[in-house]
Amino acid sequence: MRGFSVVDSTSPGALADYSAWRARDYFETYYSEVVLPDEQAVLAYQLEVMRRADVRYGRALEYGCGPTLHRAIAAAAYAARIDMADWLADNLVFVREWLASDAMESDWNRFTHFILQCEGTPDIDPVRIAHREAQARKAIHGLYVSDARWHDPLGEERRGYYDLVVSGFCLDAVSSDRGVWRACMQNVLSMLAPGGTIVIHALHDCTAYKVGERMFPGAGVTVDAMAESLLENDLTRASLDVQVIPCPDNAVYGYSGILTASARKPPTP
Ligand SMILES: C[S@@+](CC[C@H](N)C(=O)[O-])C[C@H]1O[C@@H](n2cnc3c(N)ncnc32)[C@H](O)[C@@H]1O
């Protein structure tokens, strides 16, 4: 989820919409070489939230997965079943191809290695990596095309359904309009079950980020805006954690910090 060129965030008229998105380009540009430092930070954060919860989640959802598997691979040791959703079918084709493959060598091996390292797994080798990826393939259940701008983005029957929702750099990337982001937050958070946990990442205070030659929107989310949104959607203040991970070297790409947050819904009384 990174840009690699100077972004002129002052010209929103130049923003691309997602009809111009190419899953392969996104993967090649941002995920094909190393686990970038900001990605290391948010993956470690997701793992820490899940580890601390000390529960096995029944139903998990990765919302806005794009063509990526690493957040689901991370969740696979903590959740019995994982659904994945994104607006673009092209992204889900990428996911489906990975699910259908049983190759030990996969695009996500280095991310799985990093995940196992964060968990303190000794003697990480290709067999352990393949085992975790097989666990993810088994846990991943439904792949859904969904628009976060819809009320009930996965249908009314998924309201209050998921024990864990993970969403990386999606809801803040839908539009540069903060009101749209707030509505997307409300829609996606409505799928959390009582007692459920959200882990969400956004580009901090970013109004445009670049993929390839195109600029895509950012809603300019700040710590206060994230905290307010989580609280207004009934997540508990006591569970709320919002952090900014600085990455000043990325300022030229349109952002100089990554925002990561987690919170829980109150259990049913
Ligand atoms: C920057 S990518 C993040 C992908 C992935 N989660 C990651 O961390 O790399 C933003 C994602 O948001 C998805 N997206 C854009 N508009 C959306 C919408 N209205 N509803 C759901 N997903 C949307 C895009 O298809 C894209 O996969």
Side-chain angles (χ1 to χ4, degrees), residues 93-162:
V93 167
F94 228 74
V95 172
R96 190 169 290 114
E97 280 172 0
W98 184 83
L99 288 176
S101 150
D102 57 4
M104 269 182 75
E105 272 192 31
S106 95
D107 289 334
W108 300 97
N109 286 168
R110 83 178 66 81
F111 292 84
T112 309
H113 187 286
F114 177 76
I115 288 162
L116 294 175
Q117 207 178 333
C118 287
E119 292 174 336
T121 307
D123 306 323
I124 302 169
D125 62 9
V127 173
R128 286 186 195 269
I129 290 171
H131 180 264
R132 179 58 166 265
E133 294 188 3
Q135 191 176 20
R137 286 187 173 95
K138 203 167 159 203
I140 295 170
H141 190 83
L143 302 184
Y144 301 110
V145 172
S146 167
D147 190 333
R149 294 166 294 188
W150 298 336
H151 286 288
D152 299 320
L154 292 177
E156 215 175 301
E157 65 281 8
R158 294 291 164 92
R159 206 180 285 170
Y161 186 80
Y162 290 104

Side-chain angles (χ1 to χ4, degrees), residues 232-267:
E232 78 191 9
N233 285 291
D234 299 330
L235 286 105
T236 66
R237 191 176 288 277
S239 68
L240 185 67
D241 179 51
V242 186
Q243 300 183 17
V244 174
I245 299 158
C247 45
D249 292 350
N250 293 8
V252 289
Y253 311 143
Y255 61 97
S256 53
I258 293 289
L259 198 156
T260 186
S262 60
R264 283 188 65 200
K265 273 207 171 159

